[in-house]
Amino acid sequence: MKTKKKCSKIKNKDYFYILFYALLIIFLLIGIDLRTRNIPDEITINTVSFFYTRTKDLYYDGVYPIKDSKSLYPLTYKENYPPFLSLFTVGLYKIIELFNVNLHYFIVIFPVLMYIFLFFFGFFMLSQLYNKITGLFFIILLTIMPVVNKLTVKGYYTEEALGVLLILITIFSIIKSEENIYYIFLTITALTLLALTWQVFIFLLTGILLLLIIKINSKKHLIKYLITLILPIFLAHIISVFLIGIDYSPIDMFKESYLGITKSDTTNFKIALDRGKLRPMDFNSYVEEYSYFGVIFLIFGSFICLKNIKKPKYYVIFLFVIFSIIFLLKYVKFRFLAVVPILIISSIGLEGIYNRFKKYKKSFILITIIITLGLLIIANYNPKCEMRLTVPEEIQVNETYNVTIQVKNIGRDSLCDNNLLNKAHPFSGLHVEVENAKVINKKINSLSTLVQTMDTYSIDNIDWFEVKIDCLKKSAIANVTFTLKPYKLPVKINYRCWIPTKCNKKAPEDLRSEYRVSWRNEKCLHRMPTKGEFCNVKVYSGYKEKQDYSCFSEII
Amino acid sequence: MKLQAIWKIAFLTFFVCFSINQGLSTQKIIKNGFDEDYIKEFSKVMNWLIENSDENDIVLTEWTLGNQVIALANRKVIATSKVYPSEVEIVAERYKDISKFFFATSEASSLIIVNKYNISFIFLDKNFNYRTCRYINICNLRNYQKYLTSKNDLIPQLRSSLIVSRMLDKDKMDNYELVYNSKNFLIYKVAKKIIYSALNNTHSSGFSGYKELIEEISKKPVKEKYSEVYGGIIPHDIIHSYSIIASFFQKLNRSYKTIMILGPDHFHTSKEKISTSLYNWETPFGILKPDLAMIEKLNITDDEYAHIKEHSIRTLLPFIKYKYPNTKIVPIILRNDLTKNESNKLSENISKIIENDTLVLAGIDFSHIRPADANLSIKEDAKSLNVIRNFEKHKIDSLNIDSKPSLLTLLNIMENINATKTRLFRLTNSALINKNTNASVGYISLIFMRENVE
């Protein structure tokens, strides 16, 4: 009997390992497929393709290009961007080219290779730090999370994928060095290479500085962190400036960071660094990048870290997650910087639910309820337009009067894109009808967005016009002032507004084809008023037939 | 133990299924971020650039595409996305120069940037980012988007003067030749012989399509010519009335140092009721310059955007430049809410400042009747003509014309300078000229002379 039990136990364990490794292989294949299927063999247009140029030049010329005479013609200046990506790519390619792969193709699939490296390194490191289950969850999240896919998709050849790998190694070695000081060499190596790869190494140093402060009472750790903070910078500086001979220096990046913080309000700064990614990350953007997994399991993981905060493998990660979130809230640009800490803590959260549910049952149930409520509230927080009409109290025929309608977004940012001339471009708006008076002129102003009016049209005794408002952000206002000249009393003003939100609904079938976009689905539009008497003037709104919408009315 | 095992299996299964579902959503997100056709097309256009340009050629493009042009076509550009905070001053200037090129309102203005960087090619993504207007502070203009795309029924050739819009519309330009056109991209080559010299502060009048017509009509002989002309009324609806406008100028037999043109501000674009332009105007026949000395004396606010958008004066500029290559202009647009008192005050000012060698024109279209009715139009316009001839200014309000302030101001000026003798050149309407038109617009072409002139 005992032998039978022992046999079945062993068999169960075997099945478990088979399943475990099968999952690893399956997700690796899924990950590669997601990153390569139906994607052309070209570097993507939205990448910063000067790394591509540097790598090509390095391979064909044999030396790293020192001067740049093409980016700011006619100025020629010494190269001042990190060199390690190109060096690493060419170094790796020298091995791969034996298999008859051309350089262009290698560069294009390089990000996918980085995914494979992250996959294996990540699994190994997390298995070492925590356990194999955490490692498994890490690689699953790595495979399916949108932000990691964007980072490692075929064609997206930038320094960020390699940088994320080096961040992973750095964090791993920092945690390990808490118990075994010799891991400091790995930390220094990884940080040096990171400083030669990606300028955001500075933010990682911030995390290390915080660790230094926490460990200030321990002489051993204090010295360790001091060395970790200083040595990689100088090593990278020597390699870049003296060995390679370019102008890039990690020391200069401190100055650049300082300028970036202190000069960000100047006009030229706003022009030269006019980047969509230099905007704060809101909840919806975070979910777009990290999915709801990155919300739910981050919370669970944070809980587990706090419960075990005395252990280095939890407090180090928790610290890095905190400052990653802080930087993410400041700029979307740091979405890749935050990948490793968020993935690790989410994996910890998943492992906690998987292995320790019984231990933390009550807390997990409470967290689940709070998350569910939170998500329900956020799902309903949409952009909303509100109007305020200001009219004269008394009016006379043939005199002119100013009327103002203020349109305000009292919800979250409206749907917005840059393509102003596209008929599919989403916009908020105001529709105004004036009965028994002529609309003589109109003025609109809005500090925060572009606005434009249509001509005024006349039908019988009604003058009407519409105002288009682009990208009406949260709390933004557009003021519409028009002059009217009554020819009969009373004068009646009908008005309504609308504002689009992001949603994935299908575009209505009865829209004309050039206007067939999802934001025109009524479920994606907030209108005010939502019901009541219709306006006098029907409009097409992109449909084949004219539509009726409700209006507020004011009689003067 | 059993419960724990069941929990683990259930959770793992649930999580793996959700992960796969998330993976599929992620694939959609990634796919939506890629337009395979766009990427292939981009590669193709870069190859074209390699084959059809020289290694040392400079390409002007939006800064977002700069790196790609270097990487894939190995050509020099004037700016890319590469910038450190310490470099913002230089890079911002470059971004502004790129915007100055694309948002230039004449070829002459755009050539300043072309010459500055020795540009050989302009590479344009048809999905141009107009928001870069922020760099040079022209986004706070009213109706900016409409300004860029507006196509007026009455004047279908009205286009935005912006170089980028003209390039996207593939308008024929003197200094830029379209050499590549695909679904998403355009490449223009800078002409070897630059037709205009680079000139700052210049707008384009547009209507280059009428160049040959103006030349043809202006060469036809006329029976009579008039010397002592001080004022005139001409239409501005160029589509149907270009021959009327051309004939008007043909019949003038003297030179003018300055021509003042009054016209309506049709769309209330200007924030002022009376506004002028201080810019040069690039016409198919050359550059027309403003009479800045006279404008200064008049003390009128300039509103360049309103003058670019408004067509009532722009349509006349090619004709003026053709007939009077050395004459300067004073363009003035008037909003329809200009009161009689304001109009009188303006006329008084103008009358004091203008000299004998100044011609004051009003670009006015008369009756607007929809649907078209040629007879009704003639009837209405005859009424207007009577009022003009008899200087019955108190009746102007009842007339069917598109600029009562322009007419009132002109009549006041003509009275003040004793040029009250009128001579009608033509009274007609668009329905008589073109039987297929939807609306009839009345045209009167008339001059004002001094009494003792035959």
Side-chain angles (χ1 to χ4, degrees):
Chain A
M1 281 297 281
K2 270 191 183 173
T3 328
K4 261 194 183 169
K5 262 194 182 172
K6 209 178 174 182
C7 271
S8 78
K9 241 192 182 171
I10 291 166
K11 264 193 181 165
N12 282 338
K13 226 180 175 176
D14 284 341
Y15 288 140
F16 174 78
Y17 279 121
I18 289 168
L19 177 66
F20 184 89
Y21 288 109
L23 273 174
L24 281 184
I25 294 167
I26 288 167
F27 274 97
L28 178 64
L29 293 173
I30 289 174
I32 294 170
D33 184 66
L34 282 176
R35 286 152 175 80
T36 53
R37 193 206 292 218
N38 293 330
I39 293 166
D41 291 343
E42 301 291 344
I43 53 163
T44 52
I45 305 300
N46 58 350
T47 62
V48 180
S49 34
F50 67 75
F51 281 121
Y52 174 82
T53 320
R54 300 296 175 274
T55 303
K56 265 191 357 183
D57 290 347
L58 173 61
Y59 178 75
Y60 288 116
D61 298 341
V63 282
Y64 194 85
I66 309 285
K67 293 225 165 103
D68 180 353
S69 60
K70 293 192 174 133
S71 302
L72 278 177
Y73 179 83
L75 297 175
T76 296
Y77 57 92
K78 235 175 164 184
E79 181 55 58
N80 59 0
Y81 264 57
F84 186 62
L85 172 66
S86 301
L87 292 166
F88 183 76
T89 309
V90 170
L92 202 58
Y93 180 65
K94 293 252 186 227
I95 304 165
I96 303 290
E97 75 176 329
L98 299 168
F99 299 95
N100 265 338
V101 176
N102 81 41
L103 179 64
H104 173 83
Y105 183 72
F106 180 72
I107 293 173
V108 163
I109 59 155
F110 182 88
V112 183
L113 277 174
M114 286 299 103
Y115 160 72
I116 296 170
F117 284 161
L118 276 165
F119 188 98
F120 287 109
F121 274 79
F123 177 72
F124 169 75
M125 286 174 186
L126 263 77
S127 303
Q128 286 278 300
L129 288 176
Y130 306 98
N131 53 53
K132 282 199 168 70
I133 296 294
T134 312
L136 174 68
F137 285 126
F138 177 84
I139 59 98
I140 293 176
L141 291 174
L142 188 82
T143 299
I144 52 109
M145 233 175 220
V147 64
V148 189
N149 271 267
K150 287 179 192 177
L151 175 69
T152 52
V153 72
K154 183 169 131 188
Y156 189 70
Y157 181 68
T158 67
E159 75 282 32
E160 288 149 335
L162 179 58
V164 163
L165 178 64
L166 292 167
I167 289 174
L168 175 65
I169 297 170
T170 307
I171 291 177
F172 168 76
S173 56
I174 288 172
I175 295 172
K176 279 296 208 183
S177 70
E178 290 285 305
E179 282 148 15
N180 181 350
I181 198 81
Y182 292 104
Y183 272 93
I184 190 179
F185 295 107
L186 181 59
T187 313
I188 291 167
T189 310
L191 262 176
T192 306
L193 292 176
L194 182 65
L196 289 168
T197 303
W198 197 9
Q199 296 95 324
V200 298
F201 72 88
I202 289 178
F203 302 101
L204 210 65
L205 291 181
T206 317
I208 296 170
L209 184 64
L210 288 170
L211 281 169
L212 185 151
I213 294 167
I214 291 168
K215 290 286 184 172
I216 206 155
N217 291 326
S218 159
K219 195 177 173 185
K220 185 174 89 174
H221 289 294
L222 179 66
I223 296 170
K224 177 187 85 177
Y225 284 124
L226 269 172
I227 295 172
T228 311
L229 277 174
I230 298 166
L231 193 56
I233 308 302
F234 282 100
L235 282 175
H237 174 85
I238 292 165
I239 294 170
S240 178
V241 174
F242 297 107
L243 294 181
I244 300 173
I246 58 175
D247 243 4
Y248 172 73
S249 166
I251 298 170
D252 286 340
M253 295 302 108
F254 288 98
K255 180 190 98 188
E256 298 293 348
S257 303
Y258 173 74
L259 286 173
I261 294 164
T262 53
K263 297 237 164 183
S264 58
D265 272 339
T266 62
T267 308
N268 279 345
F269 188 100
K270 286 178 185 167
I271 292 171
L273 281 151
D274 175 22
R275 305 284 184 273
K277 290 183 201 129
L278 289 181
R279 65 173 202 277
M281 182 174 262
D282 60 15
F283 182 76
N284 288 309
S285 310
Y286 180 87
V287 169
E288 225 179 85
E289 301 292 347
Y290 286 90
S291 76
Y292 282 103
F293 286 8
V295 176
I296 297 165
F297 300 118
L298 183 141
I299 296 172
F300 280 105
S302 303
F303 169 78
I304 301 214
C305 286
L306 284 168
K307 277 283 182 190
N308 296 280
I309 202 70
K310 289 196 173 132
K311 294 182 186 168
K313 62 183 177 182
Y314 292 110
Y315 70 69
V316 169
I317 278 299
F318 189 68
L319 196 73
F320 277 107
V321 164
I322 296 288
F323 88 77
S324 297
I325 300 281
I326 291 169
F327 286 123
L328 257 186
L329 289 173
K330 181 75 180 152
Y331 295 125
V332 170
K333 190 179 164 61
F334 294 126
R335 59 196 173 138
F336 295 138
L337 170 71
V339 160
V340 167
I342 289 176
L343 252 58
I344 293 176
I345 206 169
S346 301
S347 310
I348 292 169
L350 278 160
E351 187 271 342
I353 299 171
Y354 178 80
N355 268 333
R356 299 182 235 190
F357 187 77
K358 200 176 170 183
K359 189 177 173 188
Y360 299 120
K361 194 163 69 176
K362 282 182 185 164
S363 306
F364 280 175
I365 290 170
L366 184 63
I367 292 171
T368 308
I369 293 168
I370 293 170
I371 291 172
T372 311
L373 284 171
L375 291 176
L376 279 169
I377 293 168
I378 286 162
N380 284 309
Y381 180 51
N382 285 322
K384 287 191 170 109
C385 67
E386 182 186 74
M387 295 169 289
R388 200 189 300 172
L389 173 72
T390 312
V391 293
E393 280 180 19
E394 279 181 27
I395 55 172
Q396 290 179 20
V397 169
N398 284 330
E399 294 294 320
T400 56
Y401 301 92
N402 282 339
V403 172
T404 304
I405 303 179
Q406 185 187 84
V407 181
K408 186 176 179 182
N409 179 0
I410 56 169
R412 62 179 170 87
D413 290 355
S414 73
L415 182 60
C416 176
D417 73 38
N418 273 328
N419 194 353
L420 300 182
L421 299 187
N422 192 337
K423 282 184 174 152
H425 173 70
F427 56 90
S428 311
L430 175 69
H431 172 102
V432 180
E433 298 166 7
V434 179
E435 285 179 44
N436 298 331
K438 273 262 159 258
V439 172
I440 297 171
N441 62 358
K442 313 179 279 290
K443 273 184 209 180
I444 322 109
N445 82 44
S446 174
L447 289 174
S448 53
T449 187
L450 287 178
V451 285
Q452 61 130 28
T453 51
M454 280 172 39
D455 287 337
T456 307
Y457 291 97
S458 299
I459 303 174
D460 299 328
N461 65 331
I462 300 171
D463 272 11
W464 70 276
F465 63 91
E466 287 192 342
V467 178
K468 264 187 189 176
I469 309 168
D470 284 323
C471 301
L472 194 63
K473 289 190 185 306
K474 176 180 148 183
S475 304
I477 286 170
N479 284 313
V480 179
T481 305
F482 58 94
T483 309
L484 53 82
K485 189 174 180 182
Y487 48 82
K488 199 174 154 188
L489 293 178
V491 166
K492 189 177 175 199
I493 301 174
N494 295 330
Y495 57 104
R496 61 180 174 83
C497 67
W498 66 90
I499 187 165
T501 183
K502 194 170 182 176
C503 72
N504 293 321
K505 299 275 182 264
K506 224 176 148 190
E509 283 301 320
D510 47 347
L511 278 171
R512 281 184 277 162
S513 57
E514 64 270 32
Y515 294 106
R516 206 170 285 152
V517 277
S518 60
W519 72 266
R520 286 190 185 266
N521 185 313
E522 284 303 306
K523 290 192 175 143
C524 303
L525 278 165
H526 174 257
R527 291 188 185 275
M528 196 49 112
T530 51
K531 53 186 177 189
E533 265 193 50
F534 288 142
C535 308
N536 288 317
V537 177
K538 288 186 180 193
V539 290
Y540 284 107
S541 299
Y543 286 88
K544 293 172 188 161
E545 304 288 330
K546 285 191 181 179
Q547 308 290 306
D548 266 316
Y549 298 106
S550 296
C551 261
F552 288 127
S553 288
E554 182 76 25
I555 296 177
I556 323 168
Chain B
M1 282 297 283
K2 251 193 183 171
L3 266 170
Q4 210 173 6
I6 292 168
W7 164 254
K8 285 183 180 180
I9 292 167
F11 177 74
L12 199 58
T13 311
F14 174 82
F15 178 70
V16 166
C17 291
F18 258 87
S19 300
I20 291 171
N21 183 51
Q22 174 61 51
L24 292 170
S25 305
T26 299
Q27 190 182 45
K28 263 190 215 159
I29 294 169
I30 301 298
K31 227 184 153 224
N32 287 342
F34 280 90
D35 183 339
E36 197 177 336
D37 292 335
Y38 182 93
I39 293 171
K40 284 182 177 163
E41 196 191 324
F42 193 93
S43 188
K44 211 172 154 191
V45 71
M46 290 294 105
N47 284 332
W48 184 95
L49 202 52
I50 294 172
E51 286 159 19
N52 294 278
S53 66
D54 185 78
E55 205 181 22
N56 292 315
D57 281 337
I58 318 303
V59 177
L60 185 142
T61 186
E62 293 177 84
W63 59 262
T64 46
L65 297 175
N67 279 318
Q68 281 76 5
V69 170
I70 299 172
L72 301 175
N74 197 27
R75 294 291 177 264
K76 296 171 189 162
V77 297
I78 66 167
T80 69
S81 57
K82 204 169 153 254
V83 59
Y84 281 126
S86 57
E87 296 166 342
V88 294
E89 301 299 324
I90 300 174
V91 172
E93 281 314 302
R94 296 302 179 98
Y95 289 5
K96 284 178 196 170
D97 282 346
I98 293 173
S99 288
K100 280 178 192 167
F101 175 85
F102 284 119
F103 293 105
T105 51
S106 65
E107 290 186 53
S109 297
S110 69
L111 289 171
I112 293 171
I113 305 300
V114 168
N115 292 345
K116 185 174 176 183
Y117 296 102
N118 196 19
I119 305 291
S120 311
F121 290 89
I122 293 101
F123 171 55
L124 196 52
D125 185 333
K126 287 181 183 176
N127 191 19
F128 181 79
N129 182 10
Y130 282 89
R131 284 180 184 274
T132 52
C133 56
R134 296 197 303 281
Y135 302 165
I136 50 174
N137 281 326
I138 59 169
C139 294
N140 55 350
L141 302 174
R142 289 83 56 211
N143 300 340
Y144 190 74
Q145 184 178 343
K146 187 159 179 258
Y147 157 59
L148 296 170
T149 59
S150 166
K151 289 176 191 182
N152 187 309
D153 277 349
L154 292 174
I155 307 176
Q157 286 212 21
L158 175 67
R159 292 282 190 269
S160 163
S161 311
L162 300 181
I163 288 293
V164 64
S165 300
R166 289 168 70 185
M167 284 185 168
L168 291 171
D169 281 347
K170 299 186 222 74
D171 276 359
K172 193 160 176 272
M173 285 183 279
D174 290 321
N175 297 289
Y176 306 108
E177 185 198 344
L178 179 64
V179 291
Y180 185 93
N181 176 18
S182 66
K183 186 180 167 200
N184 287 296
F185 303 106
L186 294 164
I187 298 180
Y188 280 83
K189 189 173 179 176
V190 178
K192 276 191 186 144
K193 182 189 166 196
I194 288 176
I195 310 295
Y196 303 115
S197 27
L199 194 61
N200 216 342
N201 295 340
T202 309
H203 297 313
S204 170
S205 70
F207 306 105
S208 50
Y210 286 89
K211 187 179 177 190
E212 277 103 20
L213 284 169
I214 295 169
E215 283 170 333
E216 201 186 298
I217 293 165
S218 302
K219 282 177 183 143
K220 286 185 184 165
V222 291
K223 286 182 190 162
E224 265 186 276
K225 287 197 177 191
Y226 299 84
S227 304
E228 291 299 308
V229 178
Y230 295 90
I233 294 175
I234 41 172
H236 54 249
D237 172 20
I238 195 172
I239 299 173
H240 297 115
S241 68
Y242 62 86
S243 60
I244 300 169
I245 305 168
S247 305
F248 174 92
F249 286 103
Q250 247 192 316
K251 288 173 185 169
L252 299 180
N253 195 30
R254 63 176 285 197
S255 60
Y256 296 96
K257 185 170 158 251
T258 305
I259 296 180
M260 180 178 289
I261 317 140
L262 307 170
D265 178 357
H266 279 99
F267 307 107
H268 277 264
T269 311
S270 180
K271 55 188 182 301
E272 302 292 332
K273 289 184 187 179
I274 307 167
S275 65
T276 187
S277 162
L278 303 176
Y279 273 37
N280 304 308
W281 287 87
E282 183 183 274
T283 75
F285 303 105
I287 306 281
L288 256 180
K289 294 192 174 179
D291 188 336
L292 295 172
M294 189 177 284
I295 293 173
E296 203 183 351
K297 284 181 196 165
L298 284 171
N299 196 21
I300 297 174
T301 313
D302 59 297
D303 189 335
E304 301 305 330
Y305 168 69
H307 279 258
I308 298 167
K309 191 177 173 194
E310 181 48 57
H311 61 273
S312 57
I313 293 178
R314 290 205 289 120
T315 51
L316 307 176
L317 301 182
F319 299 91
I320 295 173
K321 183 64 184 179
Y322 180 79
K323 174 79 182 187
Y324 296 111
N326 298 316
T327 296
K328 291 186 176 175
I329 56 166
V330 175
I332 300 175
I333 55 171
L334 307 172
R335 271 183 10 206
N336 278 337
D337 57 341
L338 188 73
T339 63
K340 286 185 185 128
N341 285 339
E342 286 164 336
S343 179
N344 293 338
K345 202 174 164 196
L346 175 66
S347 328
E348 234 179 87
N349 270 349
I350 292 174
S351 310
K352 283 181 194 160
I353 286 158
I354 57 172
E355 287 156 14
N356 273 339
D357 54 3
T358 307
L359 175 68
V360 183
L361 295 176
I364 302 176
D365 288 343
F366 284 77
S367 59
H368 283 62
I369 295 173
R370 196 184 280 263
D373 186 336
N375 292 331
L376 182 57
S377 224
I378 292 279
K379 207 170 152 185
E380 295 281 296
D381 296 336
K383 208 165 81 177
S384 301
L385 181 62
N386 242 4
V387 164
I388 293 167
R389 276 182 159 155
N390 296 320
F391 279 76
E392 288 171 324
K393 293 177 282 181
H394 60 282
K395 290 186 181 173
I396 288 178
D397 268 345
S398 64
L399 299 182
N400 186 345
I401 67 175
D402 70 3
S403 185
K404 290 162 189 166
S406 300
L407 182 60
L408 177 62
T409 308
L410 178 71
L411 291 181
N412 280 334
I413 296 168
M414 292 301 113
E415 257 185 349
N416 291 342
I417 65 169
N418 293 319
T420 53
K421 184 181 166 74
T422 60
R423 179 81 164 89
L424 175 70
F425 286 164
R426 195 152 174 207
L427 185 149
T428 184
N429 59 69
S430 59
L432 288 172
I433 295 170
N434 175 7
K435 289 185 174 33
N436 296 321
T437 187
N438 293 331
S440 40
V441 178
Y443 308 131
I444 290 177
S445 161
L446 175 146
I447 52 171
F448 293 85
M449 300 178 290
R450 284 193 171 133
E451 276 294 341
N452 56 355
V453 174
E454 288 299 317

